[in-house]
Amino acid sequence: MTKIKIGLLGLGNVGSGVAQILQENAANIFKRTGKQIELKSVLVRDLNKKRNSNLTNVHTTTDAHSILTDPEIQIIVEVLGGEHPTYEYICQALQNKKFVVTANKEVMAKHHAELTQLAHQNGVDIYYEASVGGGIPIIQTLKVGYAANQLKAIYGILNGTTNYILTKIEEDHLEFNQALQEAQKLGFAEADPTMDISGLDTAYKLTILAGIAFKANLTLADISYEGIQSISLKDILYADEFGYKIKLLAMGQRTKNNEFCLSVQPFMLPKSHPLAAVRNEFNAIYVVGDAIQDAMLYGKGAGSLPTGSAVVSDIMDIAFNYPHNSRRNLETDFPNVKVLPADLQQNKFYLRLLVNDEFGVLEKIAGIFGKNKVSILKVIQKDIIAKQAELVILTHLVQQKDMQQAIIELKKLNCVQEVCAIIKVGLE
Amino acid sequence: MTKIKIGLLGLGNVGSGVAQILQENAANIFKRTGKQIELKSVLVRDLNKKRNSNLTNVHTTTDAHSILTDPEIQIIVEVLGGEHPTYEYICQALQNKKFVVTANKEVMAKHHAELTQLAHQNGVDIYYEASVGGGIPIIQTLKVGYAANQLKAIYGILNGTTNYILTKIEEDHLEFNQALQEAQKLGFAEADPTMDISGLDTAYKLTILAGIAFKANLTLADISYEGIQSISLKDILYADEFGYKIKLLAMGQRTKNNEFCLSVQPFMLPKSHPLAAVRNEFNAIYVVGDAIQDAMLYGKGAGSLPTGSAVVSDIMDIAFNYPHNSRRNLETDFPNVKVLPADLQQNKFYLRLLVNDEFGVLEKIAGIFGKNKVSILKVIQKDIIAKQAELVILTHLVQQKDMQQAIIELKKLNCVQEVCAIIKVGLE
C-alpha cells in the first residue's frame, strides 16, 4: 500500500481545518485515492500553545528546515500566509522535489510563473486551489473542466468580508462603518480590514485567476483596483430602485483585439444576474467561454473547513496518480499580453451629484457631458434639501478617461456642490 | 510526440460540437495536455448526408465495429444517445481496452456500476461528465473538487426545457401549454417533450449524481419523480407573493441515520436561494458538504458546444496523464444504501383548494389536517367567484403519507370542490 506523507507548514485557521479533514475523512480519502495519506510533521510558532485540534502521532516542530528536507515527506502544505519566509520555504520544497500545496494568494499572485517553472525543473508541481475562492474549486475547473474553451471573460466576487458588508448595508439599511463593525464582531472582518476593503485582496486573486483563465503572465500592476470604503447606503438604495445590486467585482475581459481589461471595483449589476444573488460572506466566479458560454461557481470563500477542503482536494489530486507525476500545470510558458490601461476601458456609469436647485443646472451638466462624449441614459432628480437637489445619472458606454475629464469639469461648475458617487454599471 | 486518436460514435448536435471544439481549440488542447488529439473516425447513420461541420481528414463510416476494434484508436466518444445499441458499443470499447467518454444519461443511470467495473477489469476508465448538466463540470467537481467532503445533500435544476418553461410562465404570465409551445418554437423543447416535462430526464440525472455524491448504488427505482404538467400560472404567482419560486428540483438528502431521500418534483424555494436565480434554459447543482458547506455550480445544461465542451474536457483529462492510466473512478464498489420511501419523507407543503364560500369550511379543513398531524403555518383566502373561494395553505413539516391521507379526506368533504395544487416547499 502506497503511503503519502505530508509536512504541514502552519497550524492556524486553515491548517487546523486541513488536519481535521485529513483525520475525519481518512477512510473516504483512502477509498477514493487508493493511497494512505498521513500528516507527519507540522511547523508551529509555539510548541507549548494549547490547541483545539487533536493531533495524534503528529510531530510538531518550530524548525521548517527539518520538514522541508525530510526524505519521507512527499507533499508540503503551506498555510502560513504572507510573502516571506513562505516564498523561500516553497522554493526549497520544490528544489527538494516535493509537491507543494499552498493557500497563499500573495505568493501565487507575485511568483506564479517562476514557481511553476521551478516545479517543472524538479519534476513536481505546485497546487494552489485554496489561494482563491476558499472551497470553490475554480482553479481546477479552469484547468480541466473548462479546458476545452477559450475564455472571453471572468467576473468574481472574491472577498467574503466586503460582500458581507455590502449585503448588510443593503438588507439592514446600515451605513458602511456600522456594517464593518458588525462584520468585525462576527469574525467576517479583521481588526485591520484594509487588505479586504481596499480591494487589494481581490486584486491578488484576480491576478491569479485571470492568469490561468487567459493563459497570460499578469502581475498586480496590471490590475486597477479600488475598494468599497466610499459606498453609501444611499447609493445601494438607488441602485435597488434602478434594478441593480452593488458588488465588489473583479473583472477580466478579453477584447476583440485580444487585449485584456482587468479591474476590481464596486460595480452595479442587474438583480437578475446570477452574481447578484451572491449574499453575505459567499464568493462566486462567473466565466464566459466560447463553448460553455455562461457559467458560475458559488461557495464559501474562506473559513477553516472550506479552505481546508480545497487544500485536501489538491492533496488528493496529487495522490491520485502518485507516484506518476500528475501535473496540473503543464503550461509553464505564460506569454506577456497587452493589458488595456484603465482609462481606456469602457463602461456605463452611475453618478450621484449634489447641485444647487436652480434654473439651468441640468443644461450645464449635459453640456459638459456632451463635450466629453458622455451620453446620458437617464437623469432622476431625488431629494431637495435646503435648496440643494440630488441628481442621479446613468450614462451609456463611455471611455473611463472621458468620464474622468467630465467629472473634473463638473466639479468646477458653481452649481455643482459635490460629486458624491461614481460607480461603474454593466453585465446587462 | 504522443498522439491520441479518437473514434466518435454519432455526429448529431453534440457530436458536431465535439468535432468543432477539437478542431478550433487544437492548439490550446495540445499546449494544455502535451498530446496531439486527433479525430480519426466517425460513426454516422448516412454517409451521404450534407453536414455543416467541416471534417477534414476524418474517416466517416456506418460500421461501428470498424471503429470499436481499430487498434490505433485509444478513446471512444459516444454521443449517439439511447440505451441500445449504445450500451453494447460501450461494453465492446471497454473490452477492447479503450477509454470511453459518453454523454449518455440513460446508459449511465442504468449501468453505472457495471460499466465502471468493466472498465477497471480492462485497465481503462469511463468518463461521463456530459451526461449531466451539459457544460457544468459537476461530476469532476464531485470526484475531485469536493472529494475531501462527506456530502449531506445535493439539489439540482437539471433540465433546461422545464426550467425554461417555468421561467416563461412566471415572467411572461403564460399558462403551461403556451410556454411549452414557445419553448418548442425556440428549440428548447422537443416535439414530444414527455421525457423532459415528466421529470424522467431529471430522475436519470439524479440517479447518476446522487450515486457519485453519496457513493451509493442507486437505480431509477430509488427516485420518486413527478413533472411540471400540472403547474399553473396561478400557483407561480401565489408563490411569488409568498416569496418563493417554483423549480423542477432534483433532491438527494442524507438523513441523520445515513438513509437517503431521493426525489424529483416541482418545488417552492425562497427567492433569496441561489437556485431561485437560475432562469431560462440554465441548469445548476447545489451541494452541501461537511467541509465546503454550501456550494453551487451553474451553467448551460445542454446544447452542442456546452455539452461538447464537457466531452472534450473528459478527453483532455484522459490525455493529461496518458499513457499512464489516469482513472477518475477508483471506487468501483458501490454499496447498496437504504433509501427512504417517498411517503416517509418529510416536507412542508403549499396547497391550493377551491371550496364553497360558506360558514365553517375552514374549521372542517383544519379538523382533517389536525387529525392527520398536518400543522398549518398560513391560510390565505384568495378570489371569491360564484360562491366559491380559493384557499391557499402553507403547512409546517409533515410526512408525505400524512399529507396524502389528509388530501384523500379533504376530497370527500362536500364543501371542498377541488384540490387544485399540492407543491412541496423548503430550502429555507
Side-chain angles (χ1 to χ4, degrees):
Chain A
M1 187 180 55
T2 313
K3 265 198 188 181
I4 295 178
K5 296 198 178 178
I6 309 282
L8 179 62
L9 310 182
L11 196 57
N13 189 31
V14 178
S16 313
V18 171
Q20 183 184 333
I21 294 169
L22 283 176
Q23 237 158 25
E24 287 180 3
N25 291 336
N28 272 340
I29 292 171
F30 174 65
K31 210 173 164 198
R32 181 87 196 93
T33 61
K35 315 288 183 327
Q36 199 180 325
I37 295 171
E38 183 189 312
L39 186 54
K40 187 186 175 192
S41 311
V42 182
L43 177 71
V44 295
R45 280 212 191 97
D46 177 0
L47 285 175
N48 299 316
K49 190 177 166 188
K50 274 260 177 197
R51 295 173 206 288
N52 290 328
S53 47
N54 178 22
L55 289 174
T56 43
N57 300 322
V58 177
H59 171 68
T60 53
T61 173
T62 56
D63 175 22
H65 190 71
S66 72
I67 298 182
L68 295 168
T69 57
D70 185 338
E72 280 197 346
I73 287 174
Q74 293 100 337
I75 303 178
I76 296 289
V77 174
E78 183 279 305
V79 287
L80 293 165
E83 189 178 4
H84 302 287
T86 329
Y87 163 72
E88 289 75 14
Y89 290 165
I90 292 175
C91 289
Q92 286 168 43
L94 294 172
Q95 281 155 353
N96 294 338
K97 303 192 190 310
K98 300 187 188 311
F99 281 83
V100 170
V101 175
T102 176
N104 199 309
K105 58 182 173 275
E106 190 174 349
V107 165
M108 290 316 294
K110 291 181 178 171
H111 305 283
H112 170 257
E114 179 200 344
L115 290 175
T116 314
Q117 280 170 14
L118 184 61
H120 284 220
Q121 286 159 14
N122 288 283
V124 287
D125 209 345
I126 180 164
Y127 284 62
Y128 46 100
E129 186 62 78
S131 68
V132 182
I136 306 172
I138 180 62
I139 292 180
Q140 180 201 115
T141 301
L142 292 174
K143 285 177 185 276
V144 185
Y146 301 156
N149 288 259
Q150 188 190 63
L151 296 184
K152 296 179 192 171
I154 185 162
Y155 305 106
I157 296 172
L158 301 176
N159 181 277
T161 305
T162 47
N163 203 52
Y164 182 85
I165 291 172
L166 292 172
T167 306
K168 282 293 136 188
I169 296 177
E170 180 198 334
E171 296 186 0
D172 298 349
H173 288 202
L174 304 179
E175 281 298 349
F176 175 79
N177 281 326
Q178 296 170 290
L180 171 59
Q181 278 166 25
E182 198 180 317
Q184 285 170 322
K185 224 185 293 168
L186 292 167
F188 289 134
E190 310 210 19
D192 176 1
T194 316
M195 178 87 170
D196 294 315
I197 63 173
S198 69
L200 176 58
D201 175 85
T202 302
Y204 276 138
K205 291 167 177 169
L206 179 61
T207 311
I208 297 172
L209 283 191
I212 301 169
F214 302 134
K215 305 186 201 312
N217 184 28
L218 300 172
T219 69
L220 192 61
D222 293 316
I223 316 242
S224 68
Y225 69 90
E226 54 181 291
I228 62 162
Q229 305 92 326
S230 62
I231 295 297
S232 75
L233 173 59
K234 208 163 212 174
D235 295 311
I236 286 185
L237 294 179
Y238 288 161
D240 183 70
E241 212 179 303
F242 293 136
Y244 295 106
K245 296 221 182 234
I246 300 180
K247 296 289 179 189
L248 181 66
L249 202 67
M251 306 178 72
Q253 292 159 307
R254 186 193 297 267
T255 70
K256 279 175 203 149
N257 308 322
N258 235 15
E259 297 170 340
F260 295 90
C261 299
L262 301 162
S263 64
V264 172
Q265 66 280 300
F267 195 91
M268 282 193 188
L269 65 167
K271 285 182 198 173
S272 61
H273 195 285
L275 282 170
V278 179
R279 296 166 62 237
N280 295 324
E281 78 277 21
F282 279 89
N283 285 15
I285 298 103
Y286 195 93
V287 170
V288 185
D290 61 352
I292 48 160
Q293 300 162 32
D294 291 46
M296 187 175 86
L297 274 70
Y298 164 99
K300 294 247 169 157
S304 175
L305 290 177
T307 310
S309 166
V311 168
V312 177
S313 160
D314 276 352
I315 293 174
M316 290 172 74
D317 208 5
I318 296 167
F320 216 65
N321 288 290
Y322 194 87
H324 299 304
N325 290 344
S326 160
R327 298 201 311 219
R328 281 273 169 255
N329 304 296
L330 285 171
E331 298 138 322
T332 54
D333 179 26
F334 291 97
N336 291 317
V337 296
K338 188 161 176 208
V339 176
L340 220 55
D343 61 358
L344 294 184
Q345 296 178 13
Q346 285 202 327
N347 266 291
K348 296 177 189 174
F349 284 89
Y350 157 100
L351 280 107
R352 181 163 57 88
L353 309 177
L354 212 54
V355 300
N356 293 342
D357 183 29
E358 59 188 37
F359 187 77
V361 170
L362 209 53
E363 286 73 8
K364 285 179 193 160
I365 293 172
I368 285 176
F369 277 180
K371 199 180 122 203
N372 288 290
K373 295 176 247 164
V374 181
S375 161
I376 296 176
L377 171 69
K378 216 185 257 182
V379 185
I380 292 164
Q381 179 166 316
K382 308 298 293 188
D383 309 339
I384 299 179
I385 303 161
K387 292 192 176 167
Q388 292 194 329
E390 200 169 46
L391 280 187
V392 171
I393 300 171
L394 287 176
T395 77
H396 286 286
L397 271 183
V398 46
Q399 266 196 356
Q400 208 153 310
K401 70 173 170 54
D402 292 330
M403 190 75 235
Q404 280 156 355
Q405 182 57 35
I407 299 289
I408 290 171
E409 293 179 27
L410 278 187
K411 285 182 175 168
K412 287 183 188 153
L413 287 179
N414 282 331
C415 60
V416 172
Q417 295 299 319
E418 197 188 340
V419 179
C420 310
I422 313 164
I423 301 171
K424 291 181 192 168
V425 182
L427 297 193
E428 275 128 325
Chain B
M1 187 177 55
T2 314
K3 265 198 188 178
I4 295 178
K5 296 199 178 177
I6 309 282
L8 178 62
L9 310 183
L11 196 58
N13 190 28
V14 178
S16 314
V18 171
Q20 184 183 334
I21 294 170
L22 283 176
Q23 235 159 27
E24 287 181 2
N25 291 337
N28 273 339
I29 291 170
F30 174 65
K31 211 174 163 196
R32 182 87 197 93
T33 61
K35 315 288 183 323
Q36 201 179 322
I37 294 171
E38 186 188 309
L39 186 55
K40 188 185 174 193
S41 311
V42 183
L43 176 71
V44 295
R45 279 210 193 100
D46 177 0
L47 284 174
N48 299 316
K49 189 178 167 188
K50 273 259 174 197
R51 296 173 204 286
N52 290 327
S53 49
N54 178 22
L55 289 173
T56 43
N57 299 322
V58 178
H59 172 67
T60 52
T61 173
T62 55
D63 174 21
H65 189 72
S66 72
I67 298 182
L68 295 168
T69 57
D70 185 339
E72 281 197 345
I73 287 175
Q74 293 98 339
I75 302 177
I76 297 290
V77 174
E78 182 278 306
V79 289
L80 292 165
E83 189 178 5
H84 302 287
T86 329
Y87 163 72
E88 288 75 17
Y89 290 166
I90 292 175
C91 289
Q92 285 169 44
L94 294 172
Q95 281 155 352
N96 294 337
K97 302 190 188 312
K98 301 188 188 309
F99 280 83
V100 170
V101 175
T102 175
N104 198 311
K105 59 183 172 278
E106 192 176 347
V107 166
M108 290 315 294
K110 291 182 178 170
H111 306 283
H112 171 258
E114 177 200 343
L115 290 175
T116 315
Q117 281 171 12
L118 184 61
H120 284 220
Q121 286 159 13
N122 288 283
V124 289
D125 209 345
I126 179 163
Y127 285 62
Y128 47 99
E129 186 62 80
S131 67
V132 182
I136 305 173
I138 181 61
I139 292 179
Q140 180 199 113
T141 300
L142 292 174
K143 285 176 184 275
V144 185
Y146 302 156
N149 287 259
Q150 189 191 62
L151 296 184
K152 296 179 193 173
I154 185 160
Y155 305 105
I157 296 172
L158 301 176
N159 181 279
T161 304
T162 46
N163 203 51
Y164 182 86
I165 291 172
L166 291 173
T167 307
K168 282 294 135 188
I169 297 177
E170 180 199 334
E171 297 185 0
D172 298 348
H173 288 201
L174 304 179
E175 282 297 350
F176 175 80
N177 280 326
Q178 297 170 290
L180 170 61
Q181 278 166 26
E182 198 180 316
Q184 284 170 323
K185 223 185 295 168
L186 292 167
F188 290 133
E190 310 210 19
D192 176 1
T194 316
M195 177 88 171
D196 293 315
I197 62 172
S198 69
L200 176 59
D201 175 85
T202 302
Y204 277 139
K205 291 168 178 168
L206 179 62
T207 310
I208 297 172
L209 283 191
I212 301 170
F214 303 134
K215 305 188 202 311
N217 184 27
L218 300 172
T219 70
L220 192 61
D222 294 316
I223 315 237
S224 68
Y225 68 91
E226 55 181 290
I228 63 162
Q229 305 92 324
S230 62
I231 295 296
S232 75
L233 173 59
K234 209 164 213 176
D235 295 311
I236 286 185
L237 294 179
Y238 289 161
D240 183 71
E241 212 179 303
F242 293 134
Y244 295 106
K245 297 222 179 230
I246 299 179
K247 297 289 180 188
L248 181 66
L249 201 67
M251 307 179 73
Q253 292 161 307
R254 186 194 296 268
T255 69
K256 280 173 200 149
N257 308 322
N258 235 17
E259 296 171 341
F260 295 90
C261 298
L262 301 162
S263 65
V264 171
Q265 66 280 299
F267 195 89
M268 283 194 187
L269 64 168
K271 285 183 197 172
S272 60
H273 196 285
L275 282 169
V278 179
R279 296 166 62 237
N280 295 325
E281 79 278 21
F282 280 89
N283 284 17
I285 299 103
Y286 195 94
V287 170
V288 185
D290 60 351
I292 48 161
Q293 297 160 33
D294 290 47
M296 188 176 86
L297 273 71
Y298 164 98
K300 294 247 169 157
S304 175
L305 290 177
T307 309
S309 166
V311 168
V312 177
S313 160
D314 276 351
I315 294 174
M316 292 172 73
D317 207 5
I318 296 167
F320 217 66
N321 289 288
Y322 194 86
H324 300 303
N325 289 347
S326 160
R327 298 203 308 218
R328 282 270 169 259
N329 303 298
L330 285 171
E331 298 137 322
T332 53
D333 179 26
F334 292 98
N336 291 317
V337 295
K338 186 160 177 209
V339 175
L340 220 56
D343 60 359
L344 294 184
Q345 296 178 14
Q346 285 203 324
N347 266 291
K348 297 178 188 171
F349 284 88
Y350 158 100
L351 279 106
R352 182 162 57 87
L353 311 177
L354 211 54
V355 300
N356 293 343
D357 184 30
E358 59 188 37
F359 186 77
V361 170
L362 208 54
E363 285 72 9
K364 285 180 195 159
I365 293 173
I368 286 178
F369 277 180
K371 199 182 121 204
N372 287 290
K373 296 179 246 163
V374 180
S375 161
I376 295 176
L377 171 69
K378 217 184 253 181
V379 184
I380 293 163
Q381 178 167 316
K382 309 298 293 190
D383 309 339
I384 300 180
I385 303 159
K387 292 195 177 165
Q388 292 195 328
E390 200 170 46
L391 278 188
V392 171
I393 300 172
L394 288 176
T395 75
H396 287 286
L397 272 183
V398 47
Q399 265 195 358
Q400 210 153 309
K401 70 174 171 49
D402 292 330
M403 191 73 235
Q404 280 157 355
Q405 182 56 34
I407 299 289
I408 290 171
E409 295 180 25
L410 278 186
K411 285 182 176 169
K412 287 183 189 156
L413 287 179
N414 282 331
C415 60
V416 173
Q417 296 299 318
E418 197 188 341
V419 178
C420 311
I422 313 165
I423 302 171
K424 291 183 192 168
V425 181
L427 296 193
E428 275 129 323

